[in-house]
Amino acid sequence: MAYDDILLHLGEFGPYQRRIYLLLCLPAIVVALHKLAGVFLQAKAEHRCLLPFESDNATYYGLTEQQMRLSYPWDYLAKGYSACRMYDTNYTEEYFHNNVPANQTVTCDRYVYNTEKYQSTTLMEWDLVCDSAWLKATSDAIFMTGVLLGSLIFGDLSDRFGRRPIFFLSLVIMSVAGVLAGITPDYYSYTFFRMIVGAATSGVFLVAYVIGMEMVGPKKRTFAGVAIQYFFTTGFLLTAGFAYYIKNWRHLQIAYTISGVIFFSYYWFIPESARWLLTKGRKEEARLIVKAAAKENKADLPDDLLDNLLTPTVNEEKMQEAGEKPSLLDLFKHPNLRKKSVILLFLWFVNSMTYYGLSWNTSNLGGGNDYLNFIICGLVEVPAYTFLLMTLDHWGRKVILCGCMLASGTALLLTMFVPNDMVWLTITLAMIGKLAITASYGTIYLFSAEQFPTVIRNVGVGASSMFARFGSILAPYINIMAEIWQPLPLLIFGGCALVSGMLALILPETLNRKLPETIEEGENFGKKSKLKVVKNGELDPVC
């Protein structure tokens, strides 16, 4: 008997599952804190060159208008004085008295920062601006590289050694590395420890998500898969809340980390996944967990029903007899499956790139209040996920995925037509794009899992998730293009989202369809139907 059959008797989402599921959702808040922390840890502040005659404690507004004009060339693109170059002169009293700017300019070697909004950030401490601005993008990219490595490493470890021990191992690593990132003396060690934190967040979130999904019945998995995102959104909003009150980046990083220590208490509350225990032949341990769940759910599970837990299904027996061991290459051996796989991989890449790119880009939107922009960027996720819960099982996956990506792309591309004095409209369009891409990102998880055949579903979703990480690694470098032209990142994200939405139209709908189980069924799934007459005289689709 399959484990899902036990859940039907146990209760697909009874009191026991709801309690454990809620507890497992809470770590998503801390994961969000770490994933979005870079917006404020590495926040960009107004800056200018420190002039030779100024002291180390000079203030950003410490120069007169005449001194500014004679010290810095005009940057026509930024429509202000250059923040990265100054005139090559000796800056004597005679120079300022002549009131004529020098002819040559040089790059800055030291900077003065405006501390009105941010008192301390990594950019200020290590001068990650101007020619060194790429280092900020690299730090964010390396963090997401850690997320990629963590999903591979901790995913494999959780399959080998169990969900529960790897959850706590990830939590320990995240806590230790998070504190070390807050006390590190230089940019390189900070970036290294942030990468370790990124890897650990994958372990914490991935394992918690898997345990939660493995104990929920089939009919409740759409809800469970989407509802956990509300907790990530809560962490999104708290990221700004922490940053608003804690102005020193080191204290802020440690505060984000310490907030996760409470989850060590889960050692006494969170059980191992019964489904995983059964795959490892640990039937008695699984029996105890199922019985505890049945007691809390007030469900009657006789012993003879539990004895069937390890009985393989017909499909499992056939796979074992055939020795079927599919690999990633099987996704690309057949033309229709290859076409769908390539499109899905690209969709994941674009969804992740656009989602994180917009989330990290709030300081480039203008409007004067980075905290407010960030909070709005988080709040739009609430209607996005609510929309999914209301429509996914009624409208279908494809129409929502395509519609949301097309809407996101259109809104972001429209920002190029917004006049410079209508910053509010740029922010509004960017937030519409963020809302739509959030809904699209929430859909792609479920849609992809249903597109890949059962025998290769984990491999397919794993490969898709890997491509998503590549997108998030690239996002910081796209955001830094705002230094060249402020709307450029939004246009790149919008163009990619629009193309992806069009490509998604090629994919078949999966709602209320018999999902493919074998490679052959996966190849035929979504092809144009050819009808044949069966014995009872009814028309039966070949594909």
Side-chain angles (χ1 to χ4, degrees):
M1 179 178 289
Y3 188 72
D4 283 348
D5 294 326
I6 295 298
L7 290 174
L8 296 177
H9 293 273
L10 182 66
E12 293 197 59
F13 202 43
Y16 176 85
Q17 288 104 316
R18 290 198 295 270
R19 177 174 61 84
I20 301 299
Y21 176 79
L22 176 61
L23 291 173
L24 290 170
C25 284
L26 292 175
I29 297 175
V30 178
V31 170
L33 292 177
H34 284 296
K35 283 192 172 183
L36 298 161
V39 173
F40 299 104
L41 296 176
Q42 303 193 124
K44 180 181 177 182
E46 293 180 297
H47 58 87
R48 62 176 177 83
C49 300
L50 180 68
L51 300 174
F53 63 86
E54 291 185 286
S55 64
D56 291 342
N57 60 354
T59 60
Y60 180 75
Y61 294 110
L63 299 179
T64 65
E65 177 60 28
Q66 181 192 35
Q67 288 175 318
M68 291 289 293
R69 183 175 61 82
L70 297 174
S71 301
Y72 308 110
W74 187 260
D75 187 336
Y76 290 95
L77 191 61
K79 298 180 180 180
Y81 292 111
S82 175
C84 299
R85 300 189 68 83
M86 63 183 185
Y87 287 117
D88 186 12
T89 184
N90 54 12
Y91 293 99
T92 61
E93 291 185 10
E94 181 181 359
Y95 170 73
F96 286 110
H97 180 73
N98 289 336
N99 203 29
V100 179
N103 295 322
Q104 303 295 323
T105 63
V106 294
T107 57
C108 310
D109 55 5
R110 299 179 65 191
Y111 301 88
V112 179
Y113 296 93
N114 183 358
T115 57
E116 290 182 346
K117 188 183 299 182
Y118 302 106
Q119 292 181 4
S120 168
T121 70
T122 59
L123 269 70
M124 295 180 185
E125 184 164 333
W126 297 315
D127 289 335
L128 306 181
V129 294
C130 299
D131 291 342
S132 298
W134 65 274
L135 290 173
K136 172 188 180 298
T138 299
S139 181
D140 287 333
I142 290 177
F143 174 87
M144 295 309 297
T145 301
V147 174
L148 167 61
L149 295 174
S151 63
L152 296 174
I153 295 170
F154 291 110
D156 178 68
L157 290 177
S158 68
D159 286 339
R160 290 172 179 264
F161 303 106
R163 317 309 193 197
R164 191 169 177 272
I166 300 307
F167 173 83
F168 290 107
L169 174 64
S170 303
L171 196 60
V172 169
I173 294 173
M174 185 174 73
S175 301
V176 173
V179 171
L180 291 175
I183 63 176
T184 186
D186 57 75
Y187 163 82
Y188 296 101
S189 52
Y190 162 81
T191 300
F192 172 76
F193 286 121
R194 281 278 294 162
M195 180 185 71
I196 301 301
V197 170
T201 59
S202 283
V204 172
F205 183 80
L206 174 68
V207 175
Y209 181 84
V210 169
I211 295 176
M213 294 301 288
E214 286 184 338
M215 67 180 185
V216 174
K219 293 182 180 179
K220 298 296 183 180
R221 283 180 193 147
T222 298
F223 169 81
V226 174
I228 192 173
Q229 302 299 337
Y230 284 109
F231 292 84
F232 189 91
T233 299
T234 301
F236 196 122
L237 300 175
L238 288 175
T239 303
F242 274 73
Y244 185 80
Y245 291 103
I246 304 176
K247 301 296 185 180
N248 182 289
W249 77 264
R250 293 184 180 276
H251 298 162
L252 182 60
Q253 168 62 30
I254 293 174
Y256 286 147
T257 303
I258 291 177
S259 61
V261 173
I262 188 174
F263 298 115
F264 284 109
S265 64
Y266 279 17
Y267 185 85
W268 292 276
F269 301 110
I270 300 299
E272 181 56 88
S273 166
R275 191 186 295 264
W276 178 84
L277 288 170
L278 291 173
T279 64
K280 298 299 179 180
R282 294 160 62 175
K283 183 177 179 180
E284 290 307 314
E285 295 174 67
R287 180 195 293 270
L288 293 176
I289 293 173
V290 172
K291 279 191 171 183
K295 182 178 180 181
E296 188 168 338
N297 288 355
K298 298 180 180 179
D300 183 24
L301 278 180
D303 288 338
D304 59 338
L305 185 62
L306 289 179
D307 289 336
N308 291 327
L309 279 171
L310 288 179
T311 303
T313 64
V314 174
N315 285 336
E316 290 171 338
E317 289 177 341
K318 289 181 178 179
M319 288 173 56
Q320 291 171 1
E321 291 173 3
E324 191 171 351
K325 295 181 180 180
S327 68
L328 182 62
L329 295 177
D330 288 304
L331 292 176
F332 304 98
K333 289 180 180 179
H334 309 279
N336 188 42
L337 191 55
R338 177 171 60 245
K339 177 183 67 176
K340 292 187 295 181
S341 298
V342 170
I343 292 174
L344 286 169
L345 294 178
F346 183 68
L347 292 179
W348 277 80
F349 175 87
V350 173
N351 270 273
S352 181
M353 178 183 72
T354 306
Y355 174 85
Y356 283 105
L358 293 176
S359 299
W360 292 333
N361 194 50
T362 50
S363 62
N364 290 328
L365 294 178
N369 194 324
D370 295 352
Y371 298 102
L372 180 60
N373 288 348
F374 188 86
I375 288 175
I376 295 173
C377 192
L379 284 175
V380 298
E381 294 190 359
V382 176
Y385 293 129
T386 303
F387 169 75
L388 292 184
L389 288 176
M390 296 172 62
T391 59
L392 268 179
D393 289 334
H394 300 283
W395 293 7
R397 288 72 156 109
K398 178 178 175 178
V399 65
I400 294 174
L401 178 66
C402 296
C404 289
M405 296 202 75
L406 292 173
S408 179
T410 302
L412 295 176
L413 288 176
L414 285 175
T415 59
M416 79 170 87
F417 302 109
V418 178
N420 293 332
D421 59 344
M422 298 181 67
V423 177
W424 65 270
L425 184 54
T426 297
I427 295 175
T428 300
L429 289 171
M431 293 303 105
I432 292 173
K434 172 64 189 307
L435 186 155
I437 204 66
T438 299
S440 170
Y441 207 179
T443 305
I444 194 68
Y445 277 88
L446 180 62
F447 192 50
S448 298
E450 293 175 341
Q451 291 285 341
F452 294 117
T454 302
V455 295
I456 202 170
R457 184 161 293 142
N458 287 339
V459 174
V461 174
S464 300
S465 180
M466 183 182 299
F467 269 76
R469 301 289 80 79
F470 290 143
S472 58
I473 290 170
L474 182 61
Y477 293 107
I478 296 176
N479 279 339
I480 206 173
M481 292 181 184
E483 302 279 345
I484 303 173
W485 185 35
Q486 189 168 343
L488 189 55
L490 297 182
L491 301 184
I492 294 175
F493 296 139
C496 290
L498 197 64
V499 171
S500 296
M502 294 177 181
L503 287 174
L505 292 170
I506 300 174
L507 299 171
E509 179 57 78
T510 58
L511 181 65
N512 298 326
R513 295 283 303 276
K514 181 182 181 300
L515 301 183
E517 296 188 7
T518 66
I519 297 296
E520 182 181 2
E521 290 179 2
E523 171 63 14
N524 290 330
F525 188 69
K527 284 185 177 180
K528 292 183 179 179
S529 297
K530 298 178 181 180
L531 301 179
K532 67 177 182 179
V533 179
V534 294
K535 292 182 179 180
N536 59 8
E538 297 180 354
L539 292 177
D540 181 50
V542 175
C543 303

